[in-house]
Amino acid sequence: MSRVTTAVPDPAGPSTGPGPGGPAVASARVLVQALARLGVEDVVLAPGSRSAPLAYALADAALGDDERPEHAPALRLHVRVDERAAGFLALGLAKASAHADGGPGTARPVAVVTTSGTAVANLHPAVLEAHHSGIPLVVLSADRPHELRGTGANQTTDQPGIFGSALRLLLDVPAPAGLPHEARDVRNAAARAVAAATGARTGDPGPVHLNLAFREPLVPGDEPWPAPGTAGLTHVQSRPGPSVPTATGAIPAVVAATQRVADDERPTRRAPGRLGGVPTVVVAGDGAGLAARRIAEANAWPLLAEPSSGARGGPCAIGAYRLLLAHPELGGRVRRVVVLGHPTLSRPVSALLAREDVEVVVLAPRGADWYDAARSADQVLLETSARMRQGRMPGPAGWLESWLAADAAACAAVDGVLDDGPEAVRGRRSRTGARITGPVLARALATASTPQDVVVVGSSNPVRDLDLVARWDDPPLVLANRGLAGIDGTVSTATGVALALPRRRVRALLGDLTFLHDVGGLLRGPAEPPVDLQLVVANDDGGSIFATLEHGEPHRAAVFERVFGTPHGADLAALCAGYGVRHTRVVEVDGLLPALAAPGRGVSVVEVRVDRAGRRAQSTLLAQEVAAAAARVLGAR
C-alpha cells in the first residue's frame, strides 16, 4: 500500500473564501469528470455536510441526458443513509460488474463517498472484504482541512491510515485553495487511484482511499461546470493478461509467468519423479473460475469445488466431496492437490492440504499473496504447465470413476436423510417429512436456480448447506463474500449485485442472523433506482453453525444457547413491513418451490422457518450414511 501526503498552504484560520462555487465545488466536479473518464460508472453516496461538494456534483451527473449540465459526465448514483450498507452495496456492484457482459471479465471500479468522522470508519468491513477478495473499491472520504486536524474540531479525526494495510493506495489530498494546477493534480490523483484499484500495474486489484479535504463554501452557485481537461489524466497501461490454451478453452492468467515451472522439471520431495498416475484432486475455492474445471476435465481429476468457485459443475465435479474425503480409498489415497481460488468452507479440505504425504500445488495468477493456510505448498505457480493444460497428467486407472461412483451413492444417501426429515434424526420417522432443515432449503433453492440466475450466498451454514446439496451440470452464477467470510453487509452486497445485473434473476440465501445484521440494507429511498431481488432467509432463531462445531458438544449445553446459539425472537414480517418489503413465510417443504418459483418485481423476503434443534445430530447422521454408502459402492468395485 502506498501513502502520499501532499503539502498544503497553512492559512491563519478557516478561509472565508469566495462565495458559492469556490475551490471545493470546482475540485469535486473535476474529480467526478476524471473518475467517469477512467471507467467509473457507479457511485454510492452516504449523505453528509463535509462531502457536499461531491454530493452536488454527483447529483448533476445522475441527471438524464436532457437535464444534465453541460460538461457534467453521466454516472449512476446510489444513495444510502448507512455507510456500512453503502460500502457493501458498492462491493456488490463491483463484484457483479465482472459478469455484466456475460463474463467472467474484469470488475469495474465502483466509488463510495462518505463525510468525515465515524462515517469513514463504517466502511472498514467492506474495505477489508474488498482487500481480501481483490475487488476494486474506490473510497472517497471528505475531511476537514489539514489546519483543523488535532484541534478538537467537530467530526474531525485522523482519517488517513484508518484502513491500515488493507489498501492498494492512500492519497491524502489537501483542501483546494484555487491555486494553479489544482485541477491537474486532482485528475492525476484519480488516475493513480483507479490504476491501483484495478491492479493495472500490479495485477492485484483492491480498495484505494482518497481522503479529500474541503474548506467552506461547500455549495455550488450558478457557475457552469468546467470543461473537461486531460492535464494530469495519465494513461496507465494495464499489465497484459494472456490466455493459456487448454484442451477445452482458455484459462485467463492475470500475470504472465516470469519463470515457467514445468512439472517434469521440478519433481517434489513428496512425489519424486512420479507425475503421471499420481492420485490428484483439484480444490477450487472462492473465485477459482473455470480454470479449475478445465484443468480437472483435461486430466480426469476429481473436482472439489465450492459453490462460489465459478467451477462447480461438469463431469468431474464431486458434490459430497467434504464427506467423501474421510474414506481411505478416496481422500486417503490423494497424493497431490492442485489449489485454485480461496478455499475456506471445509475442515476436511484444510486437513487434506495439511497432510505430510500430499503434494500441494497452488495456482495463483495474481497478487503478492497465495492461499496456503497450512504452510505446506510445494509450488506456487503463476500459470499451469503445458503437461497439465494438455491433459498429460492423469491419475491412476479408475481414479475419477471411483470418486464419481461414490459421489452418486453419497448424494442418494444425503437425499434420503433430508427426505426423512428432522424427526428421523431423533429416531422417529415422519410420515410427510414436511419440516424444513437448512440443507433441505438449500437443495430447493439449488433446484429452482437456472444457469441464467444469480445466487448470492451468505456465510456460516447457508453456503455450507449449498456446498453439500448443489448438483449442477450448468450452474448459476454464485457469488459470496468469502474474502473474510463475515456475515456483515450481505443484504447490501446482494442489492449491489442485483443492480449491476438487472437482466438476471437474483436470489440471496442467508441466515437469520446475517439478515438481521444488515437489515438496514433493505432501506432504499423512493428516488433510488429500483431493484429486483429475492432474499431467502433460513430462520432458525439463532446461530446454528456453532452447533456443528466443538461448541455444540452436549457437555457445553449450559452455556451454548446464550453465547453461541443467540436466539433473538425477532419478527421478520414486522421488520419487512416497516421497510415496505414484501414478506412470505414458509414452514413446510411443500411450500418451498412455489415461494421460490416466481419472485416478482422489487425486493421480497421469503422467510423459511428451519429446524435448529437437530442440526448437530443431522450432520453426524449425514456423515454416517455417506460413509456407509461409499463403502458399499467401493467394496463392490
Side-chain angles (χ1 to χ4, degrees), residues 401-413:
E401 290 75 12
S402 295
W403 276 88
L404 292 174
D407 188 47
C411 290

Side-chain angles (χ1 to χ4, degrees), residues 33-353:
Q33 288 175 333
L35 291 173
R37 284 285 299 271
L38 292 163
V40 174
E41 299 180 6
D42 290 271
V43 180
V44 184
L45 169 71
S49 178
R50 187 58 49 170
S51 57
L54 287 168
Y56 284 112
L58 291 169
D60 282 350
L63 294 172
D65 292 341
D66 55 348
E67 302 175 278
R68 198 164 50 250
E70 185 180 11
H71 302 315
L75 288 171
R76 289 186 292 267
L77 177 62
H78 312 269
V79 180
R80 295 295 187 272
V81 300
D82 183 329
E83 287 83 8
R84 189 175 64 179
F88 278 101
L89 178 69
L91 187 81
L93 286 163
K95 185 187 289 281
S97 69
H99 305 274
D101 300 321
T106 301
R108 290 192 301 269
V110 173
V112 57
V113 178
T114 76
T115 192
S116 62
T118 59
V120 190
N122 278 305
L123 293 181
H124 207 156
V127 168
L128 287 173
E129 179 63 29
H131 165 52
H132 288 280
S133 296
I135 302 298
L137 190 67
V138 180
V139 173
L140 307 175
S141 63
D143 201 354
R144 263 54 179 178
H146 287 57
E147 64 270 14
L148 292 183
R149 296 180 187 176
T151 67
N154 186 40
Q155 290 189 349
T156 305
T157 188
D158 188 12
Q159 294 177 190
I162 197 169
F163 301 122
S165 60
L167 299 174
R168 303 300 184 268
L169 177 71
L170 166 63
L171 296 177
D172 189 15
V173 181
L179 300 176
H181 308 304
E182 280 182 347
R184 178 202 62 194
D185 295 344
V186 167
R187 295 189 196 101
N188 189 256
R192 285 185 174 274
V194 171
T198 57
R201 290 185 54 79
T202 63
D204 188 21
V208 300
H209 181 194
L210 270 69
N211 191 63
L212 305 162
F214 292 127
R215 294 189 186 90
E216 297 178 352
L218 305 174
V219 297
D222 296 329
E223 68 289 335
W225 274 66
T230 58
L233 203 61
T234 306
H235 170 70
V236 181
Q237 182 180 12
S238 295
R239 183 179 291 272
S243 291
V244 183
T246 70
T248 55
I251 300 173
V254 179
V255 182
T258 56
Q259 176 186 5
R260 292 183 175 272
V261 182
D263 296 283
D264 53 355
E265 293 172 358
R266 183 179 290 184
T268 72
R269 58 184 173 85
R270 290 175 179 157
R274 288 194 62 216
L275 293 171
V278 176
T280 303
V281 297
V282 175
V283 167
D286 180 70
L290 286 175
R293 177 173 169 176
R294 290 166 177 160
I295 290 170
E297 292 175 6
N299 296 279
W301 290 336
L303 173 61
L304 319 184
E306 295 181 2
S308 63
S309 64
R312 181 92 171 208
C316 296
I318 308 299
Y321 67 88
R322 74 173 189 247
L323 298 179
L324 292 174
L325 281 171
H327 197 285
E329 290 299 309
L330 299 173
R333 289 184 62 197
V334 173
R335 291 297 178 267
R336 181 194 293 125
V337 181
V338 179
V339 182
L340 298 90
H342 187 211
T344 56
L345 291 187
S346 169
R347 286 188 175 186
V349 167
S350 298
L352 173 68
L353 296 175

Side-chain angles (χ1 to χ4, degrees), residues 37 49 117 125 236 323 327 457 519 522 542 559 596 620:
R37 284 285 299 271
S49 178
V236 181
L323 298 179
H327 197 285
V457 59
V519 70
L522 294 177
V559 298
L596 296 172
T620 300

